[in-house]
């Protein structure tokens, strides 16, 4: 029997690139409690408006070739995805810069052996049954795409392990999102509930 496909975002979902990004910009790491209205899913507006950073300067971080070379997965991610791989085909779906794509692939190979990664800025175009993603704008885009194309709606899970759900904008498509999850711990159990048809509002 073919396994359902579980799409998984990379940045701020399985690896905290936000902390290293802020260190690179010499910004104090008090980002965990920003003004909720300033977090639009990309953090760019937050850095520009609150810390006065230049947009091009912000994004030079992602052009580095070694962005992921010294990073480790977020707590619980490796164990959760290893467990989930028994019941799901895991597919990492991530926005990649040309310079850092090799570093990102090497990171995933190092910690998530044999799991596929696709570089795709338009995640709604990829094939998956469920997606775990931190960015509310991405989830809104998938929900809108499924509605416009009249396809079977996919299950959307917003993970807020880096910035707590109370301190960032949540996805607008609340009816489509099964849950806002605050930690990888318990993710496998939560997906069992989703597959059994139980509606979940908030985990963690």
């Amino acid at each position: 029997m073919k396994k359902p496909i579980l799409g998984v975002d990379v940045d701020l979902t399985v690896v905290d690139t936000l902390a290293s990004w802020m260190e690179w910009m010499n910004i104090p790491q008090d980002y965990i409690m920003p003004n909720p209205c300033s977090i639009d899913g990309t953090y760019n507006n937050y850095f520009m408006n609150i810390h006065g950073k230049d947009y091009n300067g912000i994004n030079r971080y992602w052009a580095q070739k070694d962005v992921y070379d010294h990073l480790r997965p977020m707590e619980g991610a490796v164990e959760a995805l290893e467990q989930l791989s028994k019941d799901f085909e895991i597919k990492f779906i991530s926005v990649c810069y040309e310079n850092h794509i090799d570093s990102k692939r090497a990171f995933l190979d190092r910690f998530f052996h044999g799991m596929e990664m696709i570089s795709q800025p338009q995640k709604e175009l990829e094939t998956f049954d469920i997606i775990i993603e931190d960015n509310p704008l991405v989830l809104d885009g998938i929900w809108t795409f499924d509605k416009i194309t009249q396809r079977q709606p996919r299950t959307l899970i917003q993970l807020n392990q880096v910035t707590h759900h109370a301190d960032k904008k949540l996805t607008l498509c609340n009816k489509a999102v099964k849950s806002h999850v605050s930690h990888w711990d318990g993710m496998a159990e939560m997906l069992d509930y989703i597959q059994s048809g139980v509606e979940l509002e908030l985990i963690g």
Side-chain angles (χ1 to χ4, degrees):
M1 182 176 177
K2 188 176 180 181
K3 295 179 181 179
I5 298 173
L6 174 62
V8 182
D9 174 50
V10 176
D11 297 294
L12 279 69
T13 299
V14 297
V15 58
D16 183 2
T17 42
L18 183 57
S20 59
W21 190 13
M22 294 191 68
E23 182 180 358
W24 182 82
M25 290 187 288
N26 295 315
I27 295 176
Q29 290 189 28
D30 58 355
Y31 64 88
I32 203 66
M33 292 293 287
N35 182 321
C37 296
S38 69
I39 299 301
D40 62 356
T42 64
Y43 290 86
N44 287 349
N45 285 342
Y46 174 61
F47 292 149
M48 288 189 291
N49 296 338
I50 305 300
H51 293 286
K53 297 295 180 179
D54 171 74
Y55 181 85
N56 292 326
I58 288 171
N59 287 288
R60 279 198 295 271
Y61 170 81
W62 301 103
Q64 300 176 105
K65 293 183 177 181
D66 62 348
V67 172
Y68 303 86
D69 289 5
H70 307 291
L71 298 180
R72 298 187 60 82
M74 284 160 54
E75 183 181 18
V78 172
E79 296 81 2
L81 287 173
E82 182 178 357
Q83 183 178 354
L84 290 168
S85 67
K86 299 173 183 177
D87 299 310
F88 294 90
E89 177 187 341
I90 308 294
K91 178 193 292 187
F92 290 111
I93 307 171
S94 185
V95 178
C96 298
Y97 281 55
E98 182 179 355
N99 285 3
H100 80 223
I101 190 169
D102 289 340
S103 179
K104 183 177 284 189
R105 286 192 190 280
F107 165 83
L108 294 173
D109 288 342
R110 199 157 57 246
F111 295 104
F112 304 95
H113 315 289
M115 296 182 186
E116 177 186 11
M117 187 196 86
I118 295 172
S119 176
Q120 173 60 276
Q122 294 179 280
K123 297 182 183 182
E124 67 276 7
L125 301 180
E126 287 300 321
T127 300
F128 55 83
D129 301 288
I130 301 172
I131 191 166
I132 301 171
E133 164 74 52
D134 75 287
N135 190 331
L137 301 183
V138 171
L139 295 173
D140 290 343
I142 294 168
W143 177 77
T144 301
F145 178 84
D146 289 353
K147 185 176 181 181
I148 290 173
T149 58
Q150 299 183 323
R151 58 166 293 152
Q152 178 69 29
R154 289 169 282 188
T155 300
L156 312 176
I157 300 171
Q158 184 172 344
L159 180 68
N160 302 298
Q161 189 163 328
V162 172
T163 303
H164 191 266
H165 62 80
D167 304 308
K168 69 185 273 191
K169 185 182 293 185
L170 299 182
T171 177
L172 301 176
C173 48
N174 292 321
K175 291 183 179 179
V177 175
K178 294 293 184 179
S179 56
H180 300 289
V181 185
S182 61
H183 201 283
W184 273 104
D185 290 352
M187 182 71 79
E189 182 180 2
M190 189 210 65
L191 284 170
D192 284 341
Y193 279 115
I194 286 176
Q195 288 190 299
S196 69
V198 176
E199 290 289 335
L200 297 177
E201 292 297 326
L202 184 67
I203 299 293

